[in-house]
Amino acid sequence: MNQFSTRKRWIIFTIIALIIAAGFIWVLPLALPIVFALFSALFLEPAVKMFQRRFSLKRNLSVFIVFSLFVILLGIGSYLLVTKVVTSAINFVENSPTYISEMNNVWDDIEKNFETAAQDLPEEIVIEINSQVDRFLESIRTKLLERNYVESLTSLVSFIPTFLVSIIVYLLALFLFLLDIPRLKRRVYSHMTEKTAEKVHFMSTRLSYVIFGFMKAQFLVSIVIFVAALIGLYMIVPKAALLMAFIIWIIDFIPIIGSIVILGPWALYYLLIGNMVLGTKLAVLAGILLIIRRTVEPKVMGHHIGLSALSTLIAMYLGLKLFGMIGFIVGPLLLIIFNSAREAGIVKTNFKI
């Protein structure tokens, strides 16, 4: 009887695994807005419950408040980010010939210094190096000037309607998921035994709490980065300090990108055009912010998600090596899932050797 029961469980597990795999291969790419809406609803569920408890609100009103706040924050963040990106892109396109000319001037100076320093080298080597660099810079100039920006802008504009439809579907699905989460949970639990339902409920509750703590920790780390960036930029470029610190804060809130994406190219540009002092200061600030994030992040995240700083650091490092930059999120998340399953009794590790 036990053998038959075990075999039945393995068959059910295999069928479920195949269905999930098929979903990832064929359904997931087509249903990304709905999938993101489901995960967003699970993430916002603790906030809905908090409003219900603290203000004695009905679920529908609590859902409406949380959803409205989420949409407002999403709208403000998207507006600031998109407008800045579009403005920067337009400025870059308009000033690209100037940038190339400045780089050419810098290279002319480097070339003169190189010729002076390379007097003992064979003339053929010096000429070849100079010609290779000249061809490289000229090819960049040609590509920038010949690029059909109108066609690129047209393709971008044609993508906007599809993107807007996806956004609308995402928001509608998010609102409906928030309303229906209790009913969906009851339907899922109805297919489980009482013991299994208790374990899954414990694990889902734990995951919701930990994921909420993860986002809270990420927010706190980004605040530290914002303050450090603001102080550093006020010392380096006072006129653009507040705006650039805000942009760095928005970008750094995304763990797979980080502030180095803003400060790195910025510093490199000033180094290339010959402003070594300003470029070096920005590069040092980028390094300081990177050290702060890598030092503070494991400790703060470990405190808020219930993992030790060492466990969080190891999970982030292994996640980076296995999954790339997104591993900074996937690594700790997999560790959280494992710990939650262990605490729920789904995974047993109380063995001895």
Side-chain angles (χ1 to χ4, degrees):
M1 183 68 182
N2 290 335
Q3 186 177 2
F4 175 76
S5 177
T6 303
R7 183 180 178 185
K8 183 179 178 181
R9 286 183 181 180
W10 275 108
I11 292 173
I12 294 173
F13 176 79
T14 304
I15 293 173
I16 293 174
L18 290 174
I19 292 173
I20 293 174
F24 270 101
I25 295 173
W26 291 297
V27 179
L28 185 61
L30 302 176
L32 280 179
I34 297 174
V35 173
F36 283 134
L38 175 59
F39 281 107
S40 300
L42 294 174
F43 165 71
L44 294 174
E45 178 66 10
V48 174
K49 290 182 177 179
M50 182 192 70
F51 273 95
Q52 286 183 276
R53 287 194 307 268
R54 291 194 178 181
F55 304 104
S56 301
L57 300 176
K58 292 183 178 179
R59 181 173 180 85
N60 289 356
L61 181 57
S62 181
V63 166
F64 178 76
I65 293 172
V66 171
F67 178 77
S68 300
L69 291 174
F70 177 76
V71 171
I72 290 171
L73 291 175
L74 185 66
I76 293 173
S78 301
Y79 172 77
L80 293 174
L81 186 61
V82 170
T83 52
K84 183 60 183 178
V85 168
V86 171
T87 303
S88 301
I90 292 173
N91 290 335
F92 176 78
V93 171
E94 290 177 347
N95 298 323
S96 57
T98 304
Y99 297 150
I100 297 299
S101 297
E102 290 178 351
M103 290 179 65
N104 280 332
N105 293 334
V106 171
W107 173 247
D108 288 339
D109 295 336
I110 294 174
E111 190 177 41
K112 292 176 182 177
N113 296 332
F114 177 73
E115 289 176 352
T116 302
Q119 291 178 352
D120 297 333
L121 293 176
E123 184 179 355
E124 293 80 6
I125 295 178
V126 176
I127 294 174
E128 180 62 24
I129 292 175
N130 289 334
S131 63
Q132 289 291 341
V133 175
D134 287 337
R135 281 198 293 269
F136 173 71
L137 293 175
E138 185 62 30
S139 66
I140 294 176
R141 180 204 291 269
T142 303
K143 288 179 181 178
L144 286 174
L145 295 177
E146 292 181 353
R147 183 175 177 82
N148 192 341
Y149 294 103
V150 175
E151 183 179 344
S152 302
L153 183 61
T154 303
S155 61
L156 177 62
V157 171
S158 64
F159 173 73
I160 290 177
T162 304
F163 179 74
L164 290 177
V165 170
S166 298
I167 290 293
I168 293 172
V169 171
Y170 166 76
L171 292 176
L172 289 174
L174 173 60
F175 184 72
L176 295 176
F177 274 131
L178 284 172
L179 290 175
D180 283 352
I181 278 180
R183 184 179 63 84
L184 293 173
K185 285 184 177 179
R186 287 194 298 270
R187 290 188 63 179
V188 172
Y189 291 150
S190 66
H191 297 285
M192 301 178 185
T193 63
E194 184 177 349
K195 187 176 181 180
T196 303
E198 288 178 0
K199 292 180 179 180
V200 173
H201 176 70
F202 174 84
M203 184 175 175
S204 61
T205 304
R206 170 74 175 153
L207 279 175
S208 298
Y209 169 78
V210 169
I211 291 173
F212 189 77
F214 175 84
M215 298 303 295
K216 182 179 179 181
Q218 197 65 41
F219 177 76
L220 292 175
V221 173
S222 69
I223 290 296
V224 175
I225 294 295
F226 173 76
V227 173
L230 186 62
I231 294 173
L233 289 174
Y234 262 124
M235 297 171 62
I236 300 172
V237 280
K239 293 183 179 179
L242 184 59
L243 176 61
M244 295 307 296
F246 180 76
I247 294 171
I248 289 172
W249 176 69
I250 294 293
I251 297 297
D252 198 77
F253 190 71
I254 307 170
I256 60 175
I257 298 180
S259 57
I260 195 71
V261 171
I262 302 295
L263 290 173
W266 196 6
L268 182 61
Y269 167 72
Y270 281 113
L271 290 173
L272 288 175
I273 65 173
N275 194 336
M276 303 299 293
V277 175
L278 187 55
T280 303
K281 288 180 178 179
L282 290 172
V284 170
L285 179 60
I288 291 173
L289 294 182
L290 185 63
I291 292 171
I292 290 175
R293 168 165 279 281
R294 294 297 166 254
T295 304
V296 175
E297 188 176 49
K299 186 174 181 180
V300 174
M301 286 180 61
H303 174 72
H304 283 85
I305 65 181
L307 299 176
S308 66
L310 179 61
S311 299
T312 307
L313 179 63
I314 292 173
M316 292 171 65
Y317 176 76
L318 292 178
L320 173 66
K321 291 297 183 181
L322 294 174
F323 304 106
M325 294 301 292
I326 199 172
F328 277 117
I329 296 177
V330 174
L333 185 59
L334 290 177
L335 184 58
I336 290 165
I337 292 173
F338 175 78
N339 282 346
S340 300
R342 181 175 54 82
E343 292 172 4
I346 297 174
V347 176
K348 298 184 183 298
T349 57
N350 56 341
F351 60 87
K352 296 181 180 180
I353 300 177

